[in-house]
């Protein structure tokens, strides 16, 4: 089965499961965004707690080793604490992954996928995470091979579809399926997790082919 067919089969399976669970895809999207929002909030609170704890420990250590910090020192520590709270509260953290565009440079397409894989890896099953790592290991060299290649080059077009559309959509559709339904097996005996791993493995194989093709044709058309 070709890469695109394996990915399409996985996506169709995910949609079939979601169709029986929730007829309104927007509900799943809202749940997913809420989960990410809570995770981001927890991350900020953790950062604030770590920063304040470090300041308190440093203040106590200074007092024990050097001597009392005095009123001026207390004001300085309070100011640093306030700064830490404001910084981690207002700091946006990770920027959202930019939307894929047809005119996006090849290098930007690869970087976008790399950013997406890093952020999504922790939400995927262990087998899929290992496959993600295999793709991630190929991206730096693939990026260098495609950086100067014209976006209309057939090899570049195939790689762009894989990295900009097929793989991100595969992961996005998988995330919509609630965890309790991911082990459910279909008529072929495959679970949602199995479909995901097969789709990612197929994408990793296609990425290797794209990289090898670029290595074999170094004089191919370059970007203007």
């Amino acid at each position: 089965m070709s890469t695109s067919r394996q990915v399409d089969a996985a996506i169709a399976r995910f949609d079939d499961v979601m169709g029986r669970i929730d007829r309104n895809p927007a509900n799943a999207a809202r749940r997913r965004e809420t989960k990410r929002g809570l995770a981001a909030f927890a991350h900020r609170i953790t950062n604030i707690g770590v920063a304040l704890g470090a300041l308190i420990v440093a203040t106590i250590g200074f007092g024990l080793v050097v001597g009392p910090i005095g009123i001026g020192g207390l004001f300085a520590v309070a100011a640093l604490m306030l700064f830490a709270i404001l910084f981690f509260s207002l700091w946006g953290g990770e920027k959202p992954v930019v939307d894929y565009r047809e005119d996006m440079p090849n290098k930007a397409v690869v970087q976008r996928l790399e950013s997406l894989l890093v952020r999504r890896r922790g939400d995927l099953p262990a087998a899929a995470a290992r496959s993600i790592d295999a793709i991630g290991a190929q991206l730096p060299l693939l990026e260098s091979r495609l950086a100067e290649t014209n976006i209309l080059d057939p090899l570049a077009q195939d790689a762009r579809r894989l990295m900009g559309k097929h793989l991100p959509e595969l992961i996005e559709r998988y995330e919509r399926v609630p965890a309790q339904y991911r082990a459910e097996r279909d008529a072929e005996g495959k679970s949602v997790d199995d479909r995901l791993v097969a789709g990612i493995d197929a994408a990793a194989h296609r990425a290797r082919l794209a990289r090898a093709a670029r290595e074999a044709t170094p004089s191919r058309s370059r970007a203007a």
Side-chain angles (χ1 to χ4, degrees), residues 114-145:
E114 183 176 26
S115 177
L116 186 146
L117 295 183
V118 169
R119 300 183 190 200
R120 298 290 188 270
R121 184 187 185 282
D123 298 329
L124 304 179
R130 288 192 293 270
S131 298
I132 287 294
D133 291 341
I135 294 178
Q138 300 176 54
L139 291 181
L141 184 54
L142 187 59
E143 177 183 340
S144 67
R145 297 296 181 187

Side-chain angles (χ1 to χ4, degrees), residues 172-193:
E172 180 182 351
R173 296 295 184 89
Y174 171 82
E175 290 180 334
R176 293 180 184 175
V177 181
Q180 63 269 30
Y181 292 95
R182 292 174 182 172
E184 179 182 311
R185 298 192 176 276
D186 56 21
E188 297 180 4
K190 294 184 179 296
S191 67
V192 170
D193 283 356

Side-chain angles (χ1 to χ4, degrees), residues 67-78:
I69 61 175
I71 298 298
L74 286 175
F75 276 112
V77 172

Side-chain angles (χ1 to χ4, degrees), residues 25-41 96-97 99 119-120 123 172 175-176:
N27 291 338
R30 283 194 293 270
R31 287 194 297 267
R32 190 168 62 255
E33 290 303 318
T34 299
K35 180 181 177 180
R36 290 176 184 165
L38 291 174
F41 177 74
V97 177
D99 293 334
R119 300 183 190 200
R120 298 290 188 270
D123 298 329
E172 180 182 351
E175 290 180 334
R176 293 180 184 175

